[in-house]
């Protein structure tokens, strides 16, 4: 039976999903985003040019692949239009190969204002949201108030918009938040018009038909498992299910039609925004990783927090997602370290554990490390697995043994070509 594959981030986002989707797209007919929205920033590099996508799937630069924005995604028309404009400037013809689900929810200008108001009211307990309106939009979705892409075609779209905005104005007044909506609305409606040049589809039918016809589908996750609304470090998470099951809800793919589950992780860890991070290196070593790895957000430009690889967290993500193969990113960033630490366990209430407990706050877990030898050589020009230094091969084997899943790609640079197939 033909099945859809799913590609996910296993850490706190920014693992390098965009790069790998781009690398894998030639093997697929359809690339589909299933959750999240413009909080995502997926980077791909080829021919010396770097591209950052927020809502549009990372298969868009390939000539034939169809790219679908699924029902589980939330769309900010203004950001979406900017992405389309960038593609137009590059001469990418997206009209025939970019399709949007009618069931995807729209981010209104007031959702963004509410995001900012909510974060401001949380003070030092803020989530560290990207402020793209993600939380408030998903709240309206589950609250059954949301506006969807399919509504754009309805004659009373403007009326529906106004009803929702009135509700938001009351909430903004509650937050005593000052704003100027009149400044934001014209661009939003212009962008809604721009969206109309694309084809709105019943993506669940499209995707299931494609599966029946034997088409190869790759579902592209956004964020990472440790930011999942159910399984992440709540409340410091995003507002969608970033795990594999999210691809079922966010595209209408039945669980028995999920095939391979590709888990993407960095050779170390990063996190942007607030929340616990057991293996964080709030020191010179962390700064060195940040500088070499250029760990600054693709969406907000914020400095990413950095730390060593966390095996308990990786195992947790592998279990929850049913990961069938792993891809390890940014191995080149660790090239200049004589020794590398790997967190193998936590001490939790005096006991050694190798899973993620309810809370991973510093008061609850202390990471236990094993130190391995670094590879200390430039990897970025290598082209085959036989060329990998022994210490890196050992690092790969160590992780495979610890988690019980094979690593099929080791990434050694941001470019499409800097990809070693194992
Ligand atoms: P995503 O959100 O998972 O798609 O990841 P981001 O694009 O937010 O962040 C990953 C960053 O690392 C981007 O700047 C990529 O260009 C870069 N990158 C991806 N793979 C590698 C790699 O193997 N080595 C290095 N040095 N950079 C990489
Ligand atoms: P990609 O797809 C990294 C983080 C934010 C914040 C929390 C909630 O590029 O990996 P939100 O805007 O969703 O309300 O923010 O989640 N976050 C991400 N961190 N990569 C992302 O996406 C992220 N999307 C959201 O920094 O801590
Ligand atoms: Mg990113």
């Amino acid at each position: 039976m033909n099945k859809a594959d799913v590609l996910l981030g296993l850490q706190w986002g920014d693992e390098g999903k965009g790069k790998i989707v781009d690398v894998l797209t030639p093997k697929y007919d359809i690339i589909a985003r299933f959750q999240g929205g413009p909080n995502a920033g997926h980077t791909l590099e080829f021919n010396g040019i770097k591209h950052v996508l927020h809502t549009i799937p990372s298969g868009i630069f390939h000539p034939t692949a169809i790219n679908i924005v699924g029902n589980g995604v939330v769309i900010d028309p203004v950001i979406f239009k900017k992405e389309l404009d960038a593609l137009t400037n590059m001469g990418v013809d997206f009209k025939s190969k970019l399709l949007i689900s009618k069931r995807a929810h729209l981010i209104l200008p007031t959702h963004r204002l509410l995001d900012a108001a909510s974060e401001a009211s949380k003070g030092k307990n803020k989530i560290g949201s990207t402020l793209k309106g993600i939380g408030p939009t998903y709240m309206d979705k589950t609250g059954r108030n949301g506006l969807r892409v399919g509504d754009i075609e309805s004659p009373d779209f403007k009326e529906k918009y106004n009803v929702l905005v009135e509700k938001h104005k009351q909430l903004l007044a509650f937050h005593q938040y000052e704003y100027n909506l009149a400044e934001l609305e014209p661009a939003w409606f212009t962008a809604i018009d721009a969206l109309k040049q694309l084809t709105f589809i019943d993506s669940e039918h499209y995707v299931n038909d494609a599966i029946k016809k034997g088409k190869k589908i790759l579902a592209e996750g956004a964020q990472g498992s440790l930011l999942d609304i159910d399984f992440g470090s709540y409340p410091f998470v995003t507002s969608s299910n970033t795990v594999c099951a999210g691809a079922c809800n966010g595209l209408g793919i039945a669980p028995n039609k999920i095939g391979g589950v590709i888990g993407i992780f960095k050779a170390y860890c990063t996190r942007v925004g607030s929340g616990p991070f057991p293996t964080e290196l709030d020191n010179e070593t962390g700064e060195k990783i940040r500088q070499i790895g250029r760990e600054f957000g693709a969406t907000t430009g914020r400095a990413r927090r950095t730390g060593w690889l966390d095996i308990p967290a990786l195992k947790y993500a592998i279990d929850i997602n049913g990961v069938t193969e792993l891809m390890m990113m940014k191995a080149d960033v660790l090239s200049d370290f004589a020794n590398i630490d790997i967190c193998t366990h936590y001490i939790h209430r005096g006991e050694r554990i190798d899973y993620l407990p309810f809370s991973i706050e510093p008061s609850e877990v202390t990471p236990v490390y094993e130190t391995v030898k670094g590879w200390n050589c430039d990897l970025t020009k290598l082209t085959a697995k036989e060329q990998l230094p022994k210490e890196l091969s050992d690092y790969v084997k160590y992780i495979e043994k610890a988690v019980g899943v094979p690593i099929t790609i080791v990434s050694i640079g941001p470019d499409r070509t800097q990809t070693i197939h194992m």
Side-chain angles (χ1 to χ4, degrees):
M1 186 173 41
N2 184 37
K3 295 184 181 191
D5 295 339
V6 182
L7 180 144
L8 311 147
L10 299 182
Q11 296 162 324
W12 280 285
D14 302 330
E15 295 88 352
K17 300 175 290 293
K19 163 174 170 166
I20 292 295
V21 171
D22 174 60
V23 167
L24 298 181
T25 298
K27 285 173 45 183
Y28 290 94
D29 301 302
I30 297 172
I31 308 296
R33 276 278 303 271
F34 59 89
Q35 47 68 236
N39 48 350
H42 294 183
T43 314
L44 21 146
E45 265 186 60
F46 54 89
N47 301 338
I49 307 174
K50 175 172 152 174
H51 310 274
V52 181
L53 295 164
H54 299 287
T55 333
I56 294 175
S58 304
I60 198 71
F61 295 104
H62 288 264
T64 54
I66 296 291
N67 288 258
I68 299 177
V69 179
N71 58 279
V73 176
V74 291
I75 298 175
D76 183 334
V78 177
I79 295 176
F80 202 95
K81 180 175 179 296
K82 278 190 194 145
E83 290 182 64
L84 294 179
D85 291 346
L87 291 176
T88 304
N89 287 341
M90 285 183 56
V92 176
D93 172 26
F94 54 80
K95 279 194 191 147
S96 57
K97 56 178 188 179
L98 180 58
L99 309 171
I100 310 182
S101 168
K102 290 182 187 170
R103 294 182 194 269
H105 279 245
L106 292 170
I107 302 176
L108 272 54
T110 40
H111 283 130
R112 297 183 68 148
L113 295 170
L114 283 166
D115 214 356
S118 162
E119 282 286 77
S121 73
K122 286 191 159 99
K124 70 175 187 15
N125 295 323
K126 70 175 184 186
I127 309 293
S129 164
T130 60
L131 302 178
K132 303 295 175 193
I134 305 297
T137 306
Y138 279 116
M139 279 165 75
D140 271 335
K141 176 178 177 174
T142 50
R144 294 156 295 180
N145 300 311
L147 217 55
R148 296 181 293 172
V149 166
D151 292 322
I152 296 174
E153 292 169 328
S154 132
D156 57 355
F157 177 62
K158 187 77 206 282
E159 212 173 296
K160 286 180 173 160
Y161 171 87
N162 287 335
V163 169
L164 188 51
V165 167
E166 277 315 307
K167 208 180 190 70
H168 292 167
K169 283 182 178 167
Q170 289 174 23
L171 290 167
L172 289 162
F174 168 80
H175 281 292
Q176 299 183 319
Y177 191 77
E178 283 185 28
Y179 59 95
N180 185 346
L181 185 56
E183 256 178 19
L184 305 172
E185 281 183 328
W188 195 81
F189 281 102
T190 305
I192 287 285
D193 280 337
L195 276 194
K196 289 181 187 162
Q197 62 181 312
L198 299 174
T199 311
F200 302 160
I201 59 163
D202 293 315
S203 56
E204 61 281 17
H205 296 304
Y206 188 100
V207 167
N208 280 296
D209 251 19
I211 293 176
K212 282 176 202 148
K213 286 180 182 144
K215 301 273 184 204
K216 302 289 289 170
I217 301 177
L218 180 65
E220 173 181 1
Q223 289 81 55
S225 297
L226 304 179
L227 288 171
D228 180 270
I229 183 73
D230 280 279
F231 301 106
S233 44
Y234 192 89
F236 302 103
V237 293
T238 190
S239 299
S240 65
N241 278 117
T242 61
V243 296
C244 185
C248 298
N249 291 329
L251 286 168
I253 301 175
N256 64 348
K257 303 271 170 56
I258 299 287
V261 181
I262 302 164
I264 311 291
F265 72 103
K266 280 179 189 164
Y268 49 94
C269 278
T270 64
R271 167 161 212 174
V272 62
S274 326
F277 181 175
T279 62
E280 182 166 14
L281 290 162
D282 193 7
N283 57 20
E284 262 175 41
T285 309
E287 184 58 29
K288 184 170 163 186
I289 295 177
R290 178 158 44 247
Q291 292 305 332
I292 299 175
R294 298 206 181 86
E295 294 295 356
F296 299 89
T299 294
T300 59
R302 290 179 292 176
R304 294 175 184 148
R305 300 155 64 193
T306 54
W308 295 122
L309 186 66
D310 184 334
I311 297 281
L314 195 58
K315 277 189 182 153
Y316 175 80
I318 287 170
D319 281 348
I320 283 165
N321 291 302
V323 171
T324 56
E325 63 183 290
L326 290 164
M327 299 185 181
M328 186 173 85
M329 311 302 291
K330 301 191 100 163
D332 55 300
V333 174
L334 297 186
S335 286
D336 193 33
F337 289 81
N339 295 305
I340 295 169
D341 284 354
I342 305 174
C343 167
T344 54
H345 292 84
Y346 297 146
I347 300 293
H348 172 60
R349 300 182 179 174
E351 261 180 59
R352 208 177 147 98
I353 60 167
D354 69 349
Y355 62 89
L356 242 61
F358 175 72
S359 165
I360 53 166
E361 290 291 343
S363 56
E364 289 286 331
V365 295
T366 309
V368 180
Y369 295 100
E370 190 170 324
T371 302
V372 299
K373 233 173 136 276
W375 37 93
N376 283 109
C377 66
D378 180 19
L379 303 174
T380 55
K381 299 198 177 55
L382 304 185
T383 52
K385 72 172 179 183
E386 293 73 26
Q387 300 165 347
L388 293 185
K390 181 179 179 303
E391 293 81 1
L392 175 55
S393 298
D394 288 347
Y395 192 69
V396 168
K397 281 184 208 140
Y398 183 102
I399 298 166
E400 288 181 327
K401 186 158 177 253
V403 303
V405 180
I407 295 177
T408 57
I409 278 181
V410 172
S411 177
I412 51 165
D415 193 86
R416 224 183 229 179
T417 56
Q418 292 173 306
T419 307
I420 305 289
H421 295 266
M422 305 297 285

